[in-house]
């Protein structure tokens, strides 16, 4: 029997707010344990949660960025469960009235076809404390770090629209890009600012039934999400084929053994409305104000790049993935660099160079002004591509302008026909074999001859003029 | 004789200045004062010391009042078993006392002590620093022999607080005394509120109402057919809120951690089990039952609560104030069972459900019962003026 999987994701995203969700403590969970704490986030008797406006704004921008509809009325509930990472016994979460509903992301499936993966709802909740298990001599002890307690989270709950690990991974990549775009979170699974749980069930292919699902947690990268889902699909398919029943439970992904293992469930009760956090009522005016703050989203921006700058869909998508790259690209175009040149030099030269130096595009020394000046000299035939690559290296190391570097280091292109002609004659005289090949119809011999002349010029010759002069000479002689 | 105090302020009263200078105030150990032990009457909070002043405490101190100590409270202020609320004022050790009112505790304690007890409108006084159980119903009550004192305290503590976002965005009433014109003031007496009274209680209450008529007020009987639902809604919504909110009192980071547990789960269970008293446990169990087994009943109760609030608003639109008994039909003055506790508060719980203000006056004569007056939400200033008017008449009559 052939099986197909029905998969839904629950994605926790930690918002990069300055403070926690219900108090003014810094939202820096990674600091020394229990340094960012106060009576409110320790949930001490008498403390009252005070909902942060910044958390609401960042969460709302995230919802709008994913095409979800902000609800006029949302509210926090007490999600009751007992665990030492939650010593007050309940977590503030929007169980009944979420912040936003709907929305979704278009991905390309395995066949390159567009597939819509829908979002059911997006709600806000506070993070819980972190448990650290250690040994004190031979005694196992558990320590609680409250730095993370009360950090602002949103949870994105999808519809069970996913069928394959590919869908999940593409969705997560696109989600990460979009959330980074609106600036609400870094969305890194590696450092824990994005955490993904997958609900997976299997059914005979072609049927529409919804079978008992299994929840899988503890994946630390998008790759692991794909692996864990693939493992779980095959595990469940085998179990069903062997006539075993799938029971509702939670499993943990073991990245080393590459298997999922069952875990003990937490006791969870129904949610009751929290009486202390006021109901959140969003006016159409406020929602509009947020919408105006929304940057151009990647899909829209890529579409515009194709139309406005004549790029291919692939090129436009590449540039739009990271908002900083997109902004940098347009900063070059605004400075009069041809879009294709800008795209090409950004993708093949600048970005790899920045990455190699472990720098960030926004803060590295080759500003759009300097890079545009360099590309202008290239376009104006003042330097050739070889020289431009070398000047780029110098731009990382010195504060001089590209013009100064070219001048000081003699990168100026030799376009003087007289000087080049002497070098060409020399090459024709010494490379008789190549000349013969060319005449015999081997086109690539021309390239070889151009290389010889270029070498003779110390790399500074204008390749276009060499080609012209060479072609003229070869044709004249024949 | 054992002390009525849980904690006495070691400092002596300083002659400060401010509107409340010279006023000697007792609080209870579920109202935070930085540095004072606040066990809220529970072993779960044994040895817990407040880190910050409650907003009420902070504002009273700024107004020059002196806090003389905290008096013994029932566990988390629910019910009056083992509570000594009201006695400090009765014995004139304190001019006023702050007592949390979540079912009617401040009002019943005042009635028992023979002093005035006021429960302000919900949302008027900050919850910050109050260690309670039923956040949507409880508010800080004030006991005193003098309504002037109560007014002075309300003036000092009421109003928005940046530490409590749950306070509705409303204008604070002007607490200046208002002139009461009895012939233009209608007072309604809900018939259903008397249904549980014994014959003797009923007679005493009749005498109290007579005082109002004699004072010239237009007194008439009104009907509130759904009256019994107030207690039912309080039982369900109040206990569910308490069951969830009491999770905060873990008895692990403070209080008494039970020894001998094999793992954290056992340790939490054992500590909470050992810390909470029987009445509180019954209350929390009841809440857990509705939360986990009868959630739809809880949802129904929330809907009925909204309806009761609307009906009460209509009723207090027809008359200016309501007059009601204070004590319900409980036989034991300090019951320790859940059922008896509820019966004790049968005439006071309505104001916690609706959030309206209520004032208890001591009886004018031996034959009378203490009288409870109530008004619509935010009628606090008028209600206090009505009480003051009646007390003045009594003085004139002597
Ligand atoms: Zn904090």
């Amino acid at each position: 029997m052939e099986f197909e999987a029905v998969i839904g994701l629950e994605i926790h995203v930690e918002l990069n707010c300055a403070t926690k969700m219900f108090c003014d403590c810094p939202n820096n969970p990674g600091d020394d344990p229990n340094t960012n704490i106060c009576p409110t986030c320790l949930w001490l008797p008498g403390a009252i949660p005070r909902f942060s406006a910044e958390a609401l704004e960042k969460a709302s921008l995230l919802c709008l960025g994913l095409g979800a509809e902000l609800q006029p009325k949302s509210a926090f509930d007490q999600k009751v469960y007992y665990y030492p990472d939650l010593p007050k016994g309940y977590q503030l979460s929007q169980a009944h009235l979420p912040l936003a509903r709907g929305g979704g992301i278009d991905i390309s499936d395995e066949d390159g076809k567009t597939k819509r993966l829908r979002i059911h709802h997006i709600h806000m909740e506070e993070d819980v404390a972190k448990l650290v298990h250690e040994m004190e001599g031979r005694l196992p002890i558990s320590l609680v770090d409250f730095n993370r307690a009360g950090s602002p989270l949103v949870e994105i709950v999808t519809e069970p629209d996913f069928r394959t690990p590919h869908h999940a991974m593409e969705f997560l990549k696109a989600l990460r890009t979009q959330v980074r775009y609106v600036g609400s979170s870094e969305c890194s699974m590696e450092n824990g600012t994005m955490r993904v749980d997958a609900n997976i069930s299997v059914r005979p292919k072609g049927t529409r039934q919804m079978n008992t699902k299994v929840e899988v947690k503890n994946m630390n990268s998008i790759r692991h999400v794909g692996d864990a889902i693939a493992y779980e699909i095959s595990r469940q398919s085998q179990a069903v084929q062997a006539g075993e029943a799938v029971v509702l439970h939670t499993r943990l992904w073991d990245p080393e053994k590459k298997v999922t293992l069952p875990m003990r469930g937490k006791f969870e009760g129904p949610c009751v409305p929290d009486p202390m956090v006021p109901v959140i009522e969003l006016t159409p005016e406020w929602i509009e104000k947020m919408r105006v703050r929304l940057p151009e989203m990647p899909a829209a921006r890529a579409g515009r790049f194709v139309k406005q700058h004549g790029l291919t869909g692939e090129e436009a998508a590449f540039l739009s993935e990271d908002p900083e790259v997109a902004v940098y690209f347009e900063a070059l175009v605004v400075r009069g660099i041809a879009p294709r040149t800008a795209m090409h030099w950004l993708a093949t030269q600048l970005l790899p160079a920045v990455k190699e130096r472990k720098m960030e595009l926004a803060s590295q020394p080759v500003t759009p002004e300097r890079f545009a000046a360099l590309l202008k000299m290239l376009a104006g035939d003042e330097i050739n591509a070889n020289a431009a690559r070398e000047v780029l290296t110098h731009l990382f190391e010195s504060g001089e302008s590209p013009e100064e570097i070219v001048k000081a280091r003699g990168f100026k292109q030799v376009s003087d026909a007289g000087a080049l002609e002497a070098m060409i004659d020399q090459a024709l005289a010494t490379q008789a074999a190549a000349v013969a090949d060319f005449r015999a119809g081997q086109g690539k011999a021309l390239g070889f001859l151009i290389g010889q002349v270029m070498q003779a010029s110390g790399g500074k010759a204008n390749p276009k003029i060499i080609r012209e002069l060479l072609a003229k000479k070869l044709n004249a002689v024949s | 004789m054992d002390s009525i105090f849980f904690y006495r302020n070691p400092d002596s009263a300083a002659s400060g200045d401010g509107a409340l200078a010279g006023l000697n105030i007792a609080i209870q150990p579920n109202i935070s004062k930085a540095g004072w032990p606040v066990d809220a009457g529970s072993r779960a909070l044994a040895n817990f010391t407040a880190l910050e002043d409650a907003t009420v405490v902070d504002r009273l101190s700024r107004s020059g009042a002196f806090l003389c100590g905290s008096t013994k409270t029932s566990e988390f202020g629910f019910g009056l078993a083992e509570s000594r609320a009201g006695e400090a004022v009765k014995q004139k050790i304190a001019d006023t006392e702050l007592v949390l009112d979540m079912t009617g505790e401040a009002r019943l304690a005042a009635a028992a002590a023979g002093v005035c007890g006021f429960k302000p409108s919900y949302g008027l006084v900050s919850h910050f620093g109050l260690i309670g159980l039923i956040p949507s119903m409880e508010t800080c009550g004030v006991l005193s022999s003098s309504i002037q004192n109560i007014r002075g305290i309300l003036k000092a503590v009421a109003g928005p607080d940046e530490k409590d976002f749950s306070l509705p965005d409303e204008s604070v009433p002007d607490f200046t005394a208002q002139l009461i014109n009895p012939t233009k003031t209608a007072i309604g007496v809900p018939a259903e509120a008397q249904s549980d009274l014994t014959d003797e209680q009923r007679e005493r209450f009749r005498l109290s109402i007579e005082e109002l008529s004699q004072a010239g007020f237009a007194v008439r009987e009104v009907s509130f057919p759904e009256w019994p639902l107030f207690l039912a809604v309080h039982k369900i919504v109040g206990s569910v809120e308490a069951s969830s909110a009491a999770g905060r009192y873990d008895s692990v980071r403070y209080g008494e951690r039970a020894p001998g547990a094999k793992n954290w789960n056992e340790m939490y269970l054992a500590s909470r089990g050992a810390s909470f008293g029987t009445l509180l446990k019954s209350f929390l169990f009841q809440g857990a039952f509705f939360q986990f087994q009868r959630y739809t009943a809880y949802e129904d109760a929330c809907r009925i609560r909204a309806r009761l609030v609307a009906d009460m608003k209509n009723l207090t639109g027809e008359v200016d104030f309501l007059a009601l008994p204070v004590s319900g039909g409980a036989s034991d003055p300090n019951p320790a069972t859940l059922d008896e506790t509820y019966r004790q508060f049968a005439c006071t719980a309505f104001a916690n459900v609706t959030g309206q203000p209520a004032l208890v006056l001591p009886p004018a004569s031996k034959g009378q019962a203490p009288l409870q007056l109530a008004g619509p939400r935010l009628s606090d200033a008028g209600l206090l003026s009505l009480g003051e008017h009646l007390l003045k008449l009594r003085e004139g009559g002597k």
Side-chain angles (χ1 to χ4, degrees), chain A residues 112-175:
Chain A
K113 277 189 288 187
T114 300
K115 182 173 170 69
R116 178 80 173 161
L117 297 168
R118 293 167 303 157
I119 292 169
H120 181 266
H121 75 263
I122 303 175
H123 66 257
M124 299 182 280
E125 65 185 26
E126 59 177 342
D127 209 342
V128 297
K130 193 176 143 192
L131 295 177
V132 183
H133 304 288
E134 286 183 358
M135 294 299 286
E136 209 170 66
R138 288 164 64 189
L139 187 71
I141 54 164
S142 295
L143 303 168
V144 190
D145 176 6
F146 281 84
N147 279 356
R148 205 180 68 181
S151 281
L153 296 177
V154 296
E155 184 174 344
I156 300 146
V157 179
T158 74
E159 297 281 3
D161 288 350
F162 305 64
R163 296 289 171 268
T164 65
H166 172 86
H167 292 165
M169 291 194 291
E170 288 303 305
F171 181 87
L172 291 173
K173 282 184 211 158
L175 177 86

Side-chain angles (χ1 to χ4, degrees), chain A residues 39-52 77-78 80 82-84 86-90 96 146 264 267-273 275-278, chain B residues 32 45 48 51-52 122 126-131 135-136 162-166 240-241 243-250 253-254 264 268 272 291-292 295 298-299:
Chain A
T40 303
C41 56
L42 287 173
W43 303 310
L44 288 177
I48 295 179
R50 282 168 297 139
F51 183 50
S52 136
D77 298 281
Q78 300 180 347
V80 173
Y82 289 96
Y83 207 72
L86 186 66
K88 73 171 161 177
Y90 61 84
H96 292 119
F146 281 84
R264 220 167 35 143
F267 167 78
E268 250 180 66
C271 299
V272 292
M276 294 310 280
V277 182
Chain B
S32 303
L45 263 70
F48 180 66
L51 298 169
E52 298 171 276
Y122 184 83
S126 169
H127 281 88
F128 180 76
L130 307 184
I131 303 172
S136 83
E162 57 174 27
K163 290 175 174 171
D164 183 358
F165 287 5
S166 77
V240 167
E241 254 181 52
S243 157
S244 192
R248 282 178 296 175
Y249 310 130
D250 59 24
R253 295 169 297 165
Y254 39 76
W264 67 263
Y268 264 80
R272 289 165 69 83
Q291 189 178 350
F292 295 110
Y295 192 76
Y298 166 75
E299 289 178 312

Side-chain angles (χ1 to χ4, degrees), chain A residues 23 25 37-38 41:
Chain A
C23 64
C25 289
I37 54 171
C38 74
C41 56

Side-chain angles (χ1 to χ4, degrees), chain B residues 108 196-198 201 327-335 339-346:
Chain B
L108 245 68
D196 274 350
L197 301 187
T198 62
Q201 283 174 325
S327 303
S331 44
D332 184 343
N334 276 325
D339 258 8
E340 279 290 290
T341 302
Y342 277 125
R343 285 183 59 184
Q344 189 184 17
F345 294 107

